[in-house]
Amino acid sequence: MKDQLDEIIKQVYNKKNKNLFTFLTGAGISADSGIPTYRGTDGIWIKGTKFHKPEEFGTFKYFKENPEEVWQYCLFRKKMFENVEPNESHNEIVEIENLLQDKFHLITQNIDNLHRRAGTNRIYEIHGNNREIKCSNGCKGIEYLPIEIKGKNIDEDLTEKDIELLKCKECGDWMRPNILWFDEVYNEETNKIFSSLKIAKNSGILFIVGTSGATNLPMEIAETTLKYGGTIVDINTEDNLFTELIKDKKNKIIIRETSTKTLKIIKEILKNIC
């Protein structure tokens, strides 16, 4: 595995064109920080006697009908994110970025802000993030969640002040989290769809770390990299939808190791050539 990585990394680094090193991360990379995956059993939302799967309450339709409940869940997640720290994999990616500089790009599906807190700069958050809000009626652009709004315990309701701060000052409708819900489509403003596909097109190598490919844009990113001659490196502990995509391709490396161990190897290879 190390020899394969060493060869392809050197090839890509020395190219004049298509020399971008792109990392695509998902929930698996944050698991070591203590954040449960959104789609797992820990992602199920319990309110009173009602049990909701993410596909049900993680929608714009459900938000319009139950805005306080959805905000309660989002602020519960906010507190969870704030109470954990970036882990070794996040930190390794920062060190890799420092080595590669403008040859580096990170595309993440995670909304937890851990990559930014670790220090990554060249980052595209294709599912949005937990620190920004926008008007659910579409009358205002993206802005930061007011600092007065704090994270919540799982059984903690919104206060009157929370509700006041979460109403749009222009139209009076609810503000919403700047994240992608299950019944929404990708766009450039929130999800950087065109920017991330342009990066994929120009990537000599795409490292897929801690994600199974269960959403559309990540799969399209991988397909675009392959289409334009880039190599896919699948770094996951189990086979996944990306594995199925690349199984018959020549320009692929499949690694069944932890992200931290593999990222350390990538970093050491880069130290010798940067």
Side-chain angles (χ1 to χ4, degrees), residues 40-93:
T41 55
D42 289 330
I44 293 175
W45 176 241
I46 303 170
K47 180 66 176 173
T49 58
K50 295 187 295 181
F51 289 70
H52 301 297
K53 293 182 179 179
E55 293 85 349
E56 176 190 354
F57 70 81
T59 64
F60 183 66
K61 180 178 183 296
Y62 194 88
F63 174 80
K64 294 297 284 185
E65 296 169 352
N66 307 275
E68 287 192 45
E69 183 182 336
V70 174
W71 263 117
Q72 184 184 355
Y73 174 77
C74 291
L75 294 178
F76 161 65
R77 296 273 286 183
K78 170 180 164 64
K79 187 170 185 177
M80 181 192 301
F81 297 157
E82 292 172 343
N83 285 341
V84 302
E85 296 297 327
N87 61 55
E88 205 170 354
S89 291
H90 294 107
N91 296 330
E92 291 294 334
I93 286 177

Side-chain angles (χ1 to χ4, degrees), residues 26-144:
I29 203 166
S30 292
D32 285 347
S33 292
I35 297 178
T37 58
Y38 188 65
R39 294 169 185 264
T41 55
D42 289 330
I44 293 175
W45 176 241
I46 303 170
K47 180 66 176 173
T49 58
K50 295 187 295 181
F51 289 70
H52 301 297
K53 293 182 179 179
E55 293 85 349
E56 176 190 354
F57 70 81
T59 64
F60 183 66
K61 180 178 183 296
Y62 194 88
F63 174 80
K64 294 297 284 185
E65 296 169 352
N66 307 275
E68 287 192 45
E69 183 182 336
V70 174
W71 263 117
Q72 184 184 355
Y73 174 77
C74 291
L75 294 178
F76 161 65
R77 296 273 286 183
K78 170 180 164 64
K79 187 170 185 177
M80 181 192 301
F81 297 157
E82 292 172 343
N83 285 341
V84 302
E85 296 297 327
N87 61 55
E88 205 170 354
S89 291
H90 294 107
N91 296 330
E92 291 294 334
I93 286 177
V94 174
E95 293 190 43
I96 290 169
E97 178 181 15
N98 291 338
L99 290 167
L100 288 168
Q101 297 294 315
D102 58 3
K103 291 178 183 284
F104 170 95
H105 289 286
L106 171 66
I107 299 171
T108 186
Q109 300 165 73
N110 298 340
I111 67 169
D112 55 35
N113 211 34
L114 290 181
H115 280 300
R116 287 190 183 274
R117 285 173 56 193
T120 299
N121 293 309
R122 297 170 182 83
I123 181 171
Y124 296 81
E125 297 163 313
I126 59 173
H127 288 169
N129 63 76
N130 205 51
R131 65 184 180 275
E132 295 174 334
I133 57 176
K134 57 189 177 184
C135 177
S136 61
N137 197 35
C139 77
K140 290 185 69 176
I142 297 168
E143 57 189 63
Y144 285 109

Side-chain angles (χ1 to χ4, degrees), residues 33-260:
S33 292
I35 297 178
T37 58
Y38 188 65
R39 294 169 185 264
T41 55
D42 289 330
I44 293 175
W45 176 241
I46 303 170
K47 180 66 176 173
T49 58
K50 295 187 295 181
F51 289 70
H52 301 297
K53 293 182 179 179
E55 293 85 349
E56 176 190 354
F57 70 81
T59 64
F60 183 66
K61 180 178 183 296
Y62 194 88
F63 174 80
K64 294 297 284 185
E65 296 169 352
N66 307 275
E68 287 192 45
E69 183 182 336
V70 174
W71 263 117
Q72 184 184 355
Y73 174 77
C74 291
L75 294 178
F76 161 65
R77 296 273 286 183
K78 170 180 164 64
K79 187 170 185 177
M80 181 192 301
F81 297 157
E82 292 172 343
N83 285 341
V84 302
E85 296 297 327
N87 61 55
E88 205 170 354
S89 291
H90 294 107
N91 296 330
E92 291 294 334
I93 286 177
V94 174
E95 293 190 43
I96 290 169
E97 178 181 15
N98 291 338
L99 290 167
L100 288 168
Q101 297 294 315
D102 58 3
K103 291 178 183 284
F104 170 95
H105 289 286
L106 171 66
I107 299 171
T108 186
Q109 300 165 73
N110 298 340
I111 67 169
D112 55 35
N113 211 34
L114 290 181
H115 280 300
R116 287 190 183 274
R117 285 173 56 193
T120 299
N121 293 309
R122 297 170 182 83
I123 181 171
Y124 296 81
E125 297 163 313
I126 59 173
H127 288 169
N129 63 76
N130 205 51
R131 65 184 180 275
E132 295 174 334
I133 57 176
K134 57 189 177 184
C135 177
S136 61
N137 197 35
C139 77
K140 290 185 69 176
I142 297 168
E143 57 189 63
Y144 285 109
L145 181 72
I147 58 173
E148 299 92 336
I149 297 178
K150 307 301 181 185
K152 301 286 185 185
N153 294 323
I154 195 166
D155 57 352
E156 198 174 354
D157 293 326
L158 301 182
T159 66
E160 290 185 11
K161 185 63 175 177
D162 291 334
I163 294 172
E164 178 187 339
L165 291 169
L166 289 171
K167 293 294 182 71
C168 177
K169 294 179 177 60
E170 299 293 328
C171 69
D173 209 337
W174 281 89
M175 300 294 282
R176 54 159 290 179
N178 185 35
I179 59 177
L180 182 73
W181 279 320
F182 284 95
D183 57 349
E184 296 181 308
V185 296
Y186 292 94
N187 60 51
E188 178 64 17
E189 182 185 27
T190 300
N191 315 114
K192 306 301 180 190
I193 180 172
F194 301 120
S195 298
S196 58
L197 289 173
K198 183 179 179 180
I199 289 167
K201 179 180 177 180
N202 291 290
S203 293
I205 186 166
L206 174 67
F207 299 96
I208 296 170
V209 189
T211 176
S212 63
T215 50
N216 294 334
L217 183 53
M219 288 300 296
E220 193 173 351
I221 288 167
E223 288 167 352
T224 301
T225 297
L226 286 173
K227 179 181 177 181
Y228 288 93
T231 295
I232 301 289
V233 181
D234 174 19
I235 307 168
N236 282 286
T237 55
E238 297 177 350
D239 286 356
N240 53 76
L241 293 175
F242 291 112
T243 317
E244 186 67 22
L245 172 68
I246 65 177
K247 66 180 183 180
D248 297 323
K249 308 294 184 183
K250 290 182 179 179
N251 48 334
K252 57 111 175 7
I253 302 174
I254 296 174
I255 299 173
R256 293 293 166 260
E257 275 289 356
T258 64
S259 59
T260 301

Side-chain angles (χ1 to χ4, degrees), residues 12-27:
V12 172
Y13 188 84
N14 291 319
K15 283 182 179 179
K16 290 184 178 179
N17 300 311
K18 291 184 65 60
N19 61 357
L20 294 185
F21 290 74
T22 303
F23 290 76
L24 173 63
T25 66

